[in-house]
Structure formats: C-alpha cells, structure tokens
Amino acid sequence: MPGGRLLLLDGVGSIAGWVGSAAWLVVAALSFVVFGLRRQRMDDVRCAYRWWLTGGVAATLLSANAATHSHQILAGLIAASTGFSPLPANAFWWLALGLPIFGLLAVRLVVDASASRLAAAAGGLTLGVIATDPAIESHAADAQLAGIAPSVPWSLVGPGCVVAGPLLAILSLLLVNRHILREAEGKAAVRKPKATAAKPAKAKKAATNPTDPSADAPAKPTRTSSKSTTPEAAAPA
C-alpha cells in the first residue's frame, strides 16, 4: 500500500519519526538563539554559553536520526563486526554510544537553565521522557513493564516519547529565552556570582597571622654609651 509506512506509529518514514525530526530542528534553532543571547552577557567568564552551540549541533543530529533511525544501522554494523550484542535489536551499542554523550550534554544544559525554575522543571521532565524511549525501544524491560501494568499499551508509549520529548524541549527553551529577555529588561533578577572576601590590610597581617616571626620579635633596646658626659664624672678625684 503506497504511503502505508507513513501511517505507522514508529519506524523509518513514520508519522512519529517525521514529527520528531521536525521538532528536533526547532530545538536546534532555539538552542542557537539561546547561544546568541547568552554570549552577550559580560559576567559569563567561563563561557558557559558555548554549551548551547553544542546543544544545537546535537539537536540537529537527533533530527536526522529521528528521520533515518541511523542509530540502529550503526549499532547493527558494530554488532556484526564484533559478534557481541547482549540486548535485542542491537540496542546495547547505540545505548552505550549515545547515552554518555547526549545524556551528559542534556544534563549540563538543564543545569545552565536553572536560573529559570520553570525552564529547569520542563528540562527535567524532558530528560525523563527521552530516557523512557530507549528503555522501551530496546525491549530490555518488556517483561517488567508487562508485569507492572499489563493493561497499558506499551507499544504506543515509545512513539509517544519520540514526539513528546522534543516538544517538551521546545517548551523548556522558550522559557529559557523568555527568562533571558526578562533579565535584559530588568524584570527578572540576575543571578550574580558569589563575592569573594577581600584580603586583609598589610598593617593587620602581623596581628592576624600568629606564625609570622616578625610579630613576636622583641623590640631592640636602645643602645647607650658607657661613658658619662656629666661634669661630675669628668672631674678628677
């Protein structure tokens, strides 16, 4: 049936795949917008804004993967070359390669967005939804999920996470951009770095530093002449 693959809920060329791909492109565009806004801040001495540029590139890669499922192709090639695949559908390899890179990057961006509580909450929910999809797609917990809630159609949860994950990421990024604009307009409090304690004055250094040898050194006595200059001492006996 022509176009029948488009009506599927999951897989290459499905509705969930194309909607997820388009949503990840929007996430990439919003990440680049945050990068452009954050780089204008003069107090970002650690250049944390560059993480948003990396996030935009990662979202672009996720968009391409949502449309092509290239992670499964790459995992199949590695499994065929190594002969090792402990999880169904070669899920071990794309989990081992993708989770450390994309997972840590996502956590770093959520931490950077913590200035806005709403954005951080939406980002945390996004991480939870995105983490649910690999657990379902890898079929590693099918028996446990069926035992917990046998009446839940778990075959629909995976495609739902594919679409809901980037949509929640879009919401989080919109909240981040809103908070940055409110900071620029003076309507939101700007998070300031912690002030460092000033160094003590040089005059108080000896009093505050008991290990300073010059602090406990006794004063030198005034040296006097042993010869008397009085007239009585100069007169003969």
Side-chain angles (χ1 to χ4, degrees):
M1 173 179 169
R5 183 179 296 274
L6 182 64
L7 300 178
L8 297 176
L9 294 176
D10 197 6
V12 179
S14 63
I15 293 178
W18 285 112
V19 172
S21 178
W24 281 119
L25 282 180
V26 177
V27 171
L30 290 175
S31 299
F32 293 140
V33 171
V34 176
F35 168 75
L37 294 175
R38 281 289 310 274
R39 68 183 301 184
Q40 307 299 327
R41 293 186 59 171
M42 303 301 295
D43 59 344
D44 193 358
V45 295
R46 296 184 179 180
C47 300
Y49 65 89
R50 294 178 180 175
W51 285 105
W52 293 102
L53 179 62
T54 308
V57 175
T60 304
L61 295 177
L62 290 175
S63 174
N65 179 74
T68 61
H69 282 221
S70 55
H71 66 289
Q72 295 180 350
I73 300 174
L74 180 61
L77 293 175
I78 298 177
S81 60
T82 59
F84 178 73
S85 183
L87 293 179
N90 303 321
F92 171 80
W93 290 109
W94 57 264
L95 286 174
L97 295 175
L99 283 183
I101 299 175
F102 292 95
L104 293 177
L105 176 61
V107 172
R108 180 63 182 82
L109 294 178
V110 171
V111 171
D112 192 74
S114 60
S116 173
R117 296 181 179 179
L118 291 177
L125 184 60
T126 302
L127 291 179
V129 171
I130 294 177
T132 304
D133 176 58
I136 296 177
E137 187 177 348
S138 61
H139 304 285
D142 287 349
Q144 291 79 359
L145 293 176
I148 294 173
S151 60
V152 174
W154 293 106
S155 59
L156 301 179
V157 175
C161 292
V162 170
V163 177
L167 292 181
L168 288 173
I170 292 174
L171 174 62
S172 178
L173 288 171
L174 289 175
L175 292 173
V176 171
N177 283 291
R178 175 179 176 271
H179 183 78
I180 295 175
L181 293 177
R182 285 175 59 85
E183 284 183 349
E185 295 174 355
K187 297 180 180 179
V190 180
R191 185 175 53 182
K192 298 180 180 180
K194 295 182 179 180
T196 57
K199 293 184 178 179
K202 189 175 182 180
K204 299 180 181 179
K205 184 176 180 181
T208 57
N209 188 7
T211 60
D212 190 359
S214 63
D216 299 332
K220 293 183 179 181
T222 305
R223 190 173 183 179
T224 60
S225 176
S226 60
K227 296 182 179 181
S228 177
T229 59
T230 60
E232 293 80 5

